Amino acid sequence: MTTGEAVPVNNFIRSIINEDLEKNKNNGKVATRFPPEPNGYLHIGHSKSICLNFGIARDYQGTCNLRFDDTNPAKEDIEYVDSIKEDVKWLGFDWSNLHFASDYFDQLYDYAVQMIKTGKAYVDSLSAEEIREYRGTLTKPGKDSPYRNRSVEENLDLFERMKAGEFEEGAHILRAKIDMASGNINMRDPAIYRIKKAHHHRTGDKWCIYPMYDYTHCISDAIEGITHSLCTLEFEDHRPLYDWVLDELKTESHPQQIEFARLNLTYTVLSKRKLLELVKNNYVNGWSDPRMPTIAGFRRRGYTPASIRNFCEIIGVAKAHSTVELGVLEHCLREDLNKNADRVMVVLRPLKVIIDNYPEDQVEEFDADNNPEDPAMGNRKVPFSKVLYIEKDDFQEEPPKGFFRLAPGREVRLKHTYYIKCENFVKDEQTGEITELHCTYDPESRGGGTPDGRKVKGTLHWVSAQHALKAEVRLYDHLFTRTNPDDKDIADYKDVLNPNSLETINDAMVEPSLAEAPIGKGYQFMRQGYFCVDSQDSKPGNLVFNRSVSLKDSWAKEKVKA
Ligand code: ATP
Ligand code: MG
């Protein structure tokens, strides 16, 4: 763990594990797993599950496997497998073992045969629609399929032929024989195998029948000797099925399924189906678009692994549904970058300033501290010369009350260097735009004060025009305009996409030290926010920066109020 990170707090899952350890259940072993389906990129919700599962393994000297739940070949892809591995590693975790549910296809098949032999599974030949009808509803019990009492021999024969590819998709399915009148719909003879003539990214064309998720998941857990199978609340109603399958199969190990509430975030959708839609229909620029709530998106945006881990600690793990403010996540990033990011000067919207009394060809280099809160982060040189840029909105021709920056006749401090005073300005008469300021500097103010002790109220950041590098800067805002894009009154979440979620500034001016800014390093652009080099589009000589997060911390303020 990096210093400054939140210490894992107790939660109800850790309490269960503590009790189990006291009773020496599972011989004192703790084994968890993170089981993504490789049908999309991981998102911030997954990091909650990752931090929980890998964090428990770390703190209890246990194990945590990464297991791909790859039972739906139509939707899965090796690109997703690779991205998931990369994201888990980037978050700072490593798996004890890497598994694929598809590695268990032979065993899963054998178990299905075993269930047929013990009379606990049968081949059904109703159509999908009939099966739906027969299933009943929450208030109405289901009824038995006419095929439910096929003999073991007939079931074995049909299942074998399903595997051999003799039937079309949908002609037959294998179902567990449980109880069509159960109050729990998941127990009404759930499907455990279906025919699917699809190429699988790992097993190729070996199989044309694939096991269903519920059946696969519990058996995979048991095969791997998982002790605590942690999943999100929507699986609570599936737990009786999880236990039923393992009891019927008399597996050596019987993991305990424990459910927790999934993460929901304001201004965010976390459904893989929706994220895929945003990518496929080009509402965003791919899975790693910095506006996406994917781990790849956050990484490119400039989030640090520590900030995300910290966030997952802060929000805790509970049974109750809740929605977390996006501001909490942003707060975690600011906290990390405030400590670790170098301060640099970048002018986003440049206004030219000419220091009339400064020698034409003179260049002075000033020492600038990288982080005023941490001298160990060192200094760098910033060049100063006659022509500078400051931020357009740091000048006002007619300053309102409370505006302490530059105005005609007004004096301010330029960070790290001198006091300057605005003597006059040039205005484009047609557009009304201020195009140039003429100032004088006070050589005696070098270092931030003057012998006469006069005070100035404003300190501005600046860059030297001849030394600055032009850069593109991308300012991001929420991807959605509504706190809950899935709200009932919104017909389609895409209707509330924020048209201003990306603002591109093409001619920002950055101080020369940023020429070699490495990918993955966070910077504080003084008075602007935290930024990083864009990992995909930035090139030497054509720098592109992403705003990771602004400086304003609305959440911290709310905390103080509360
Ligand atoms: P789907 O099953 O619809 O494709 P999923 O979000 O459940 O989507 P999985 O790949 O099955 O995706 O998820 C892997 C693990 O991450 C599961 O254990 C799941 O419970 C957990 N997980 C998914 N979304 C969240 C979330 N928002 N908060 C916490 N955990 C989550
Ligand atoms: Mg899932």
Side-chain angles (χ1 to χ4, degrees), residues 60 109 111 140 145 183 190 240 268 325 416 478 481 527 531 534 558:
Y60 289 91
Y109 181 81
Y111 275 129
K140 203 176 84 195
S145 160
T268 308
E325 301 266 346
H416 302 303
H478 299 150
T481 54
R527 303 172 63 224
F531 292 77
D534 185 81
E558 298 219 351

Side-chain angles (χ1 to χ4, degrees), residues 515 538-543:
S538 192
K539 304 271 170 322
N542 194 7
L543 296 171

Side-chain angles (χ1 to χ4, degrees), residues 33-39 42-50 53 69 84 213 217 230-235 260-264 270-273:
R33 85 287 170 266
F34 173 64
E37 191 185 338
N39 62 352
L42 295 181
H43 55 61
I44 187 77
H46 291 114
S47 28
K48 176 174 179 177
S49 178
I50 292 170
N53 281 293
D69 244 314
I84 289 169
Y213 174 84
H217 194 81
L230 314 178
C231 63
T232 36
L233 272 183
E234 69 273 20
F235 290 103
F260 62 95
R262 60 170 55 224
L263 168 70
N264 298 305
L270 290 180
S271 139
K272 274 200 268 186
R273 182 182 63 74

